[in-house]
């Protein structure tokens, strides 16, 4: 199962995680986790995990295949960069 991770430097990680989960949760399942993070389930594609830390937001994407992984990465990265445009957030997947 392909996966990737992105570390996005920000001092507002909990706010961005909540905003992203709330926004995407209108169309897909978004579950708040006990550690303050979120699990986003993309039906037929995969899932994303958002884990806020003190100085960064950790985003993990997993999927059944490379094409689906690319789609999950695109949705998570594109939306977060748009929300964080004022603070020049940049998502780079590893």
């Amino acid at each position: 199962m392909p996966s990737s991770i992105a570390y996005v430097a920000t001092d507002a990680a909990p706010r961005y995680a909540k905003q992203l989960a709330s926004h995407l949760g209108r169309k897909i399942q978004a579950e708040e986790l006990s550690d303050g993070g979120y699990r986003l389930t993309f039906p037929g594609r995969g899932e994303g995990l958002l884990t806020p830390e003190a100085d960064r937001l950790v985003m993990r994407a997993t999927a059944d295949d490379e094409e689906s992984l690319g789609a999950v990465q695109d949705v998570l990265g594109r939306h977060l960069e748009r929300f964080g445009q004022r603070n020049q957030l940049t998502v780079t997947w590893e």
Side-chain angles (χ1 to χ4, degrees):
M1 182 174 277
S3 65
S4 61
I5 193 165
Y7 301 98
V8 183
T10 176
D11 58 357
R15 180 175 64 86
Y16 283 121
K18 183 176 183 176
Q19 183 180 13
L20 188 57
S22 175
H23 177 75
L24 294 178
R26 295 181 186 131
K27 294 192 177 200
I28 63 170
Q29 180 182 349
E31 172 190 1
E32 187 170 3
L33 304 174
S34 60
D35 65 358
Y38 296 87
R39 175 179 290 117
L40 305 172
T41 304
F42 296 83
R45 294 280 186 179
E47 74 174 25
L49 287 174
L50 309 175
T51 307
E53 295 181 353
D55 60 349
R56 66 186 183 179
L57 177 61
V58 180
M59 299 195 309
R60 289 179 179 83
T62 58
D64 293 333
D65 55 54
E66 291 294 331
E67 181 182 342
S68 296
L69 180 63
V72 172
Q73 290 173 328
D74 177 61
V75 170
L76 293 175
R78 187 168 28 93
H79 283 86
L80 183 62
E81 286 180 347
R82 189 176 71 211
F83 295 149
Q85 186 174 14
R86 182 180 313 143
N87 295 319
Q88 300 175 344
L89 294 188
T90 303
V91 176
T92 304
W93 293 97
E94 299 176 7

